[in-house]
Structure formats: C-alpha cells, structure tokens
C-alpha cells in the first residue's frame, strides 16, 4: 500500500500538468471546431459541422493536406538518409573526445532560437546572398541560384531543424546493439552490407521509427519554415491553419483543420503499430 | 579441419603488453585449452586467431596458409562468445542458418543442415523459438550449432561455459567434448577455470602476463609444472621455502627433505600437492622413509569421500587431502607427522 502511495505521488504531478496543459486547451479547441463563429462579444454562434464539411467539399484543403504529408515524408526520408549513417559512425566507430565534440555540434542548433535560425537561412539563400556569392566566387559565371522562396529552400530549413532528432534516436538504438553480435556475424562470414541490413537496421528499427515520428508530425504542421523560406510557394496546411487563427480570425475552421490533421496522423500511427509491436 | 599455428605473436595495447612472443602449434582435430588468469593474454590470442585483433609482430597460419591479411569473415572459423551473441531478431533456425545463407545456401538444403546441427546439439524441434524463449544452456547449444553448421576449419570458444551454473556447466563440458569428438574439429577453448581445462582438453597452454609459460597434456602439466606459477595455478600446491643443502633442502619450517631434482639455486621453494601427502598421528608413526615434516592439526574439513586437514607446520599452514579409508578423523591439536615422497617434492628457484 505504501508503495502504491509512493508511485501515485511520483506520477500525479506530471499527469496533472499534462491534463491541464494538453487536455483542457484541446477540449476547448474541439468545442470551437463545432461552432459557427468565434464566441466573442455579442456574436451569435450555433453548433455546426460545417467546418469539417468544408475540408471534404473544397479540394483545396485536401490537396494542401497531401502536400504537407509529402513534405513530411520527404523531410523524414532525407533526415534518415543523412542521420542514420552519422549515428552509426558515432555509435560504433568514433570514441572519446572526438565523439563528445561531434555530439556538441549536433546539439548546437537546439541552443539557438528557431526564428533566428530560419532568418539566418534567408540571409544565406536570398538572391546575391551568402550562398550565391560564395558559389559565384568559386565558380564564376554560375549565375543566380534562385533558391529563396522555393520548395527546396523549405526542405533545407526543415532538414536543418529536425536532423538532430533522427541522429539522436538512431544513435541510442544503435549504441544498444551488443558489439559481440556484430563480431558473431563476421565470424560466420557476413560482409559489411549483410551486417548492416540483416542486423543493424532491424535492431535499430525502434530508433528509426521513433525518430521518424518525432520529425514527421511537427513537419506536417510546420508554418514558420514554409512561410519564411517558401514565400508564395510556402502554402501548406500548417500555414493555412495559422492563417485561420492569426489573420482570417476563423478559429472554428482552424480548429477543425487541426483535428482532421491529428486524426490522419493517428491513422498512420495505428498503421505502424503492428510493426512497432513486433519490435518488442 | 585444419591445424593452426601461431609464430612469435606479440601485441601491445598502449603501454601494456597483451602478448609477448607466443608460438604454438594447434594440431588438427585436437581440443586445446588456453588457461590463464584474467589479463594473461589468452582472450587476445583467441581474438587474433579469429582475426578481430591484428598482431604487432608474428604471424598466424590456418591449414598451413598465412591468414594475417585475411579478414575475419573470410577466415572460415566458428566462434562461440561468452554471452552466446544470438541474434535477437531471428529465431533459432535463422540464427543457425545465418552462416549458411551468407554462403548462398538457402531453402531445403539450409533447413536440412540446420536440422542436422540442431540434432547434434540435441535441440531438434526448437527451430521456431526466439532466443529469449531459451534457457542459458539451450542458448549455448544454439550458439554452438551456429558456429559448427558451416563446417569451419577451426572452432574458437571464448569462455563459453562461464555464464552457466555449476550443474549445467558440468553437463555442457561433457556435451561439448562429445560434439567436438563427433565433428573432429580443431578446437581452441579459452578459460580461467582450471577444472574445465583439465577435464576437457587434449592439450593445455598456460598463459601468464602475455607469455605462454607451459604447454602439454593435462597430466603432464599437472604432474610436472615447470614453475611455481603453474604449480599454483593448475591445481593446489603447498609451497615450502628452504635453502639448498647439498642434494637436500633445509626447510624454513624445520626438517630436511630430498627433492625430485637436485636444487640448483641456494634459495628454493618446494612444491607438494595436498593429495600426495599422507598424515599420521605422532604416537602412531610407523613409517620412516621419504620426507617427513612435523606439525599440529589446526582443523579438518570433512567432505564424505575425503578429508582436508589444515596442519600448522612452523609459521605455515600445510593442506593435506586424505581419502576417507578408515572413517577415522584426527582431532584438532593432535601432533602429527606429514610424509611425502621425494619424487613428489618439486623444487623451484625462489624469485
């Protein structure tokens, strides 16, 4: 009984906090999503499902949703392709001081404000900016790159922001793989590629899946990078939702779109859950 | 199957010497134990034969060919690791079949060979189990089946029994020996357990501080240790200090004894195994030939089949093993005489 009280006292503060900060605002938003207007002042509001119907009636929204999911998939894939080899080298080949220094470099982006980071990208990418200037200096006559306000610029900014998550989650699961397993595979005649694809990748899958979700979910709802680096090309479901709250002042539609996005993400999570369960 | 020879192997890790000019010939089809305390270099030697470490000097031959520049995966070895290293993402069949699939053997041929190997280690029907559904002894057998299914030229075992409890270990010692005999594979076994080395191997190599200090058959090494270290490390030994006195040795604890060989140094240590000493009460002494030392019984430990006496001789406690022939126990504080043959009194220089 004593132990039970101890456990309760350990977990209650955290769960209470989560309930207050997540469930309460979320229920408020759910409430808004079924209203006809923002209930401020003397506006007349009524219950409606119109906000949800809008999404399915106007192709514009589902196209944007698809575009956001595509962005999420691309950013996640690039992060995986860049992050996994890096995590592998950090976990299995690099030791001591060098490893510490390299880890510091990975975590460095977390120390700066996201807005500052994105704005500094605009300095690099804009016409006659740092990137164009340097390339033209190295290879005269390359001409303008026109990267600013393009889809690749958004990818660049998002990969920059989210790559550390993939490296860190993959590192943790690769580091946990016993070196004797890899030695055993070598003693049985396995080459490097066989070891990578039949042992390391399957055993690191929990880290890969965790990293992918940590990146995919925020990326599909992202609005800062698309807006600042994408300009006219930066319209995604995240920026539309932000517009509903800050510019158009249509909170009910913004809330409904948010819940539709959340529902789709949950569907994907459920789709992956058999895979995740198999890993345990 | 092949013989393995190492020539003049040396290896340093930073400033510590792991191996110091070790040469040895592992004959085809025999079972070898590399025995030594931790840090003696035995594991380094095994890992070098496997190819996980490269020697600073010297070379390794497998089947008469130099393998120094051949990586582990091309050396055609089988290895069993201390914690078995079964692949947790594969079932027993996939674990055992891993080396076969790497060699391009799959389908029914792979299944047949895996079944054969599992039968050899008496685990038929365990194909679809996951490693975490197996007991320690079963994991050990799977690891062994996995290591021999590819018919490697040499089998390397890195303290494979140390994680098992005593009963299981004794059972596996017999099993391992049987499997090795059935397959006829050259086997090199690293252990720090002297009993394991004595009971299982055809040949024992004893390592200390990176050097191969002695090698030979278990009986040979046990009966004729070439140094105090070997005498103490393999089996038990009473060590009595003394001074050379012509052909004899004058012991510090009193008395003069004859030794197997003439003492070649002024300061010597005599080594006598506890089971080679007989004990008699002072008033019942009826034997006078051979070496004799007087003492007083401190205590006895009764094991049923045998007795261990701890006898105070001067400032030294001498251990004596006696077979329980008469059912009689000499009580503590009795004055006794200890007898041992000159042939069993080995003499070493006192370093």
């Amino acid at each position: 009984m004593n132990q039970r009280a101890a456990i309760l006292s350990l977990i209650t503060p955290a769960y209470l906090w989560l309930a207050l900060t997540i469930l309460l605002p979320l229920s408020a938003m759910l409430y808004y999503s079924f209203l006809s207007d923002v209930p401020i002042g003397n506006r007349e509001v009524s219950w409606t499902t119109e906000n949800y119907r809008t999404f399915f009636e106007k192709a514009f929204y589902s196209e944007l949703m698809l575009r956001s999911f595509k962005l999420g998939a691309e950013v996640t894939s690039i992060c995986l392709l860049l992050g996994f080899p890096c995590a592998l080298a950090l976990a299995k080949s690099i030791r001591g001081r060098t490893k510490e220094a390299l880890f510091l470099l990975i975590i460095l982006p977390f120390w700066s404000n996201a807005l500052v980071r994105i704005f500094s990208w605009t300095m690099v990418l804009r016409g006659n900016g740092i990137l164009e200037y340097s390339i033209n200096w190295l290879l005269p006559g390359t001409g303008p790159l026109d990267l600013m306000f393009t889809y690749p610029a958004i990818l660049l900014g998002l990969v920059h922001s989210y790559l550390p998550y993939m490296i860190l989650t993959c590192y943790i699961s690769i580091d946990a793989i016993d070196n004797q397993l890899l030695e055993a595979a070598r003693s049985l005649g396995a080459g490097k590629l066989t070891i990578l694809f039949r042992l390391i990748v399957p055993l690191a899958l929990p880290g890969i899946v965790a990293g992918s979700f940590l990146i995919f979910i925020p990326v599909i709802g992202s609005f800062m990078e698309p807006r600042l680096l994408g300009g006219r090309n930066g319209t995604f479901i995240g920026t539309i939702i932000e517009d509903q709250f800050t510019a158009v002042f249509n909170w009910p539609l913004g809330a409904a779109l948010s819940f539709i996005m959340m529902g789709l993400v949950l569907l994907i999570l459920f789709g992956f859950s058999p895979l995740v369960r198999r890993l345990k | 199957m092949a013989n393995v020879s190492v020539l003049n192997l040396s290896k340093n890790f930073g400033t510590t010497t792991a191996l110091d000019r070790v040469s040895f010939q592992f004959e085809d089809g025999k079972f070898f134990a590399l025995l030594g305390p931790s840090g003696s270099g035995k594991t380094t030697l095994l890992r070098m034969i496997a190819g996980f470490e490269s020697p600073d000097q010297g070379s390794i031959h497998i089947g008469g060919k130099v393998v120094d520049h051949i990586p582990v995966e091309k050396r055609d070895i089988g290895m069993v690791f201390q914690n078995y290293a079964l692949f947790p993402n594969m079932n027993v069949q996939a674990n055992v079949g891993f080396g076969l699939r790497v060699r391009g053997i799959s389908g029914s041929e792979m299944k047949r060979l895996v079944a054969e190997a599992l039968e050899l280690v008496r685990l038929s029907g365990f194909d679809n189990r996951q490693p975490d559904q197996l007991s320690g002894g079963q994991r050990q057998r799977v690891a062994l089946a996995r290591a021999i299914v590819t018919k490697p030229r040499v089998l390397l075992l890195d303290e494979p029994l140390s994680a098992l409890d005593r009963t299981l270990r004794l059972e596996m010692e017999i099993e391992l020996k049987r499997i090795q005999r059935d397959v006829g594979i050259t086997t090199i076994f690293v252990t720090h357990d002297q009993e394991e080395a004595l009971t299982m191997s055809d040949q024992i190599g004893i390592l200390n501080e990176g050097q191969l200090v002695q090698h030979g058959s278990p009986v040979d090494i046990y009966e004729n240790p070439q140094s105090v270290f070997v005498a103490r490390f393999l089996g038990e030994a009473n060590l009595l200090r003394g001074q050379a006195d012509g052909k004899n040795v004058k012991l510090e604890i009193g008395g003069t004894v004859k030794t197997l060989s003439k003492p070649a140094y002024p300061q010597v240590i005599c080594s006598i195994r506890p089971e080679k000493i007989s004990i008699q009460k002072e008033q019942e002494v009826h034997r006078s030939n051979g070496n004799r030392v007087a003492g007083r019984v401190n205590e006895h430990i009764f094991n049923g089949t045998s007795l261990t006496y701890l006898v105070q001789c001067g400032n030294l406690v001498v251990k004596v093993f006696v077979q329980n022939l008469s059912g009689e126990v000499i009580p503590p504080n009795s004055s006794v005489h200890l007898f041992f043959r000159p042939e069993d009194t080995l003499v070493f220089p006192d370093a």
Side-chain angles (χ1 to χ4, degrees), chain A residues 186-267:
Chain A
R186 287 188 72 194
S187 77
L188 291 166
K192 292 194 168 59
L193 282 179
T194 310
I195 292 176
L196 179 65
F197 289 111
R198 298 221 32 217
L199 278 177
I200 298 177
V201 170
L203 291 174
L205 214 49
I208 295 172
V209 171
S212 298
F213 279 116
L214 274 179
I215 295 170
F216 183 74
I217 294 169
V219 164
I220 54 175
S222 65
F223 55 89
M224 269 202 302
E225 288 89 349
R227 181 147 291 165
L228 295 173
L229 298 172
R232 267 186 308 110
N233 287 310
T235 310
F236 289 91
I237 201 74
T239 58
I240 291 292
I241 293 172
E242 195 217 358
D243 279 341
Q244 303 310 314
F245 284 98
T246 59
V248 187
F249 213 61
N250 189 351
W251 287 21
L253 180 61
L257 290 176
S258 298
F259 278 106
I260 290 169
M261 193 176 89
M262 207 167 99
L264 289 172
V265 168
L266 285 176
L267 271 180

Side-chain angles (χ1 to χ4, degrees), chain B residues 71-87:
Chain B
V72 180
E73 55 270 25
K74 300 255 162 66
R75 281 198 188 184
D76 197 12
I77 52 157
M79 188 153 174
V80 176
F81 292 81
Q82 204 167 355
N83 64 6
Y84 320 135
L86 297 183
F87 306 134

Side-chain angles (χ1 to χ4, degrees), chain B residues 23 109 338:
Chain B
S23 296
E109 175 71 355
L338 306 179

Side-chain angles (χ1 to χ4, degrees), chain B residues 217-250:
Chain B
S217 71
V219 174
D220 178 42
I221 297 190
Y222 187 82
E223 296 298 334
N224 305 302
Q226 301 293 308
S227 60
V228 174
F229 172 80
V230 174
R232 284 177 55 178
F233 194 72
L234 198 70
E236 291 192 64
N238 292 300
L239 300 175
L240 313 177
R241 282 208 155 72
Q243 282 182 319
D245 181 13
K247 282 183 178 175
N248 302 329
V249 172
K250 226 175 130 194

Side-chain angles (χ1 to χ4, degrees), chain B residues 86-323:
Chain B
L86 297 183
F87 306 134
N89 55 326
M90 302 178 198
N91 64 15
V92 168
Q93 187 182 64
N95 261 285
V96 178
F98 186 88
L100 296 171
R101 289 186 60 174
V102 166
R103 286 163 176 75
I105 301 167
S106 55
S108 57
E109 175 71 355
M110 182 208 47
K111 280 186 183 150
R112 188 180 64 78
L113 290 170
V114 168
E116 253 179 46
L118 286 177
E119 198 189 326
L120 189 67
V121 299
R122 301 190 177 159
L123 274 185
S124 297
F126 280 69
D127 304 57
N128 294 320
R129 298 277 191 100
Q130 291 294 320
D132 58 10
Q133 296 172 312
L134 301 174
S135 69
Q138 290 168 340
R139 283 180 207 191
Q140 164 82 70
R141 287 159 194 259
V142 174
L144 192 62
R146 185 178 69 175
I148 57 179
V149 73
T150 58
K151 307 217 162 31
R153 295 191 291 175
V154 52
L155 178 63
L156 307 171
L157 306 163
D158 184 11
E159 307 220 11
L161 305 179
S162 60
L164 301 177
D165 62 53
R166 193 181 152 75
T167 342
L168 209 51
R169 199 165 66 227
L170 295 177
E171 192 185 307
M172 275 312 291
E173 278 178 16
I174 297 164
E175 278 287 276
L176 198 55
K177 189 69 195 135
R178 172 185 67 80
I179 291 163
Q180 193 268 337
R181 239 191 339 257
D182 284 2
V183 181
I185 185 172
T186 314
T187 301
I188 306 172
F189 181 98
V190 158
T191 180
H192 62 267
D193 187 322
Q194 42 141 325
E195 218 175 295
E196 249 171 50
L198 284 172
T199 51
M200 295 174 72
S201 46
D202 300 314
Q203 291 268 309
I204 298 176
I206 295 189
L207 285 123
N208 187 31
E209 292 175 350
Q211 292 183 320
L212 183 68
V213 290
Q214 194 175 346
H215 60 87
S217 71
V219 174
D220 178 42
I221 297 190
Y222 187 82
E223 296 298 334
N224 305 302
Q226 301 293 308
S227 60
V228 174
F229 172 80
V230 174
R232 284 177 55 178
F233 194 72
L234 198 70
E236 291 192 64
N238 292 300
L239 300 175
L240 313 177
R241 282 208 155 72
Q243 282 182 319
D245 181 13
K247 282 183 178 175
N248 302 329
V249 172
K250 226 175 130 194
L251 296 178
E252 265 179 19
I253 58 168
T256 300
V257 294
K258 285 191 167 59
T259 55
L260 174 66
S261 51
K262 188 171 170 280
Y265 299 85
Q267 299 291 324
V268 296
I269 292 178
C270 293
S271 160
I272 308 120
R273 300 263 185 221
E275 75 278 11
K276 313 238 162 163
I277 301 175
S278 60
I279 185 169
Q280 281 169 21
K281 280 195 213 160
E282 197 174 32
Q283 53 276 42
E284 293 169 9
V285 167
H286 50 76
R287 221 178 104 172
S288 55
N289 57 340
N291 294 324
R292 178 205 297 229
V293 168
R296 184 178 291 274
V297 173
N298 262 353
E299 58 176 308
H300 63 262
I301 301 146
F302 181 69
N303 292 336
T305 56
S306 66
L307 280 150
T308 304
Y309 288 104
L310 299 176
V311 179
Q312 192 77 40
C313 301
N315 58 0
L316 205 76
V317 175
V318 175
K319 201 180 240 187
V320 182
F321 294 153
V322 181
Q323 222 188 321

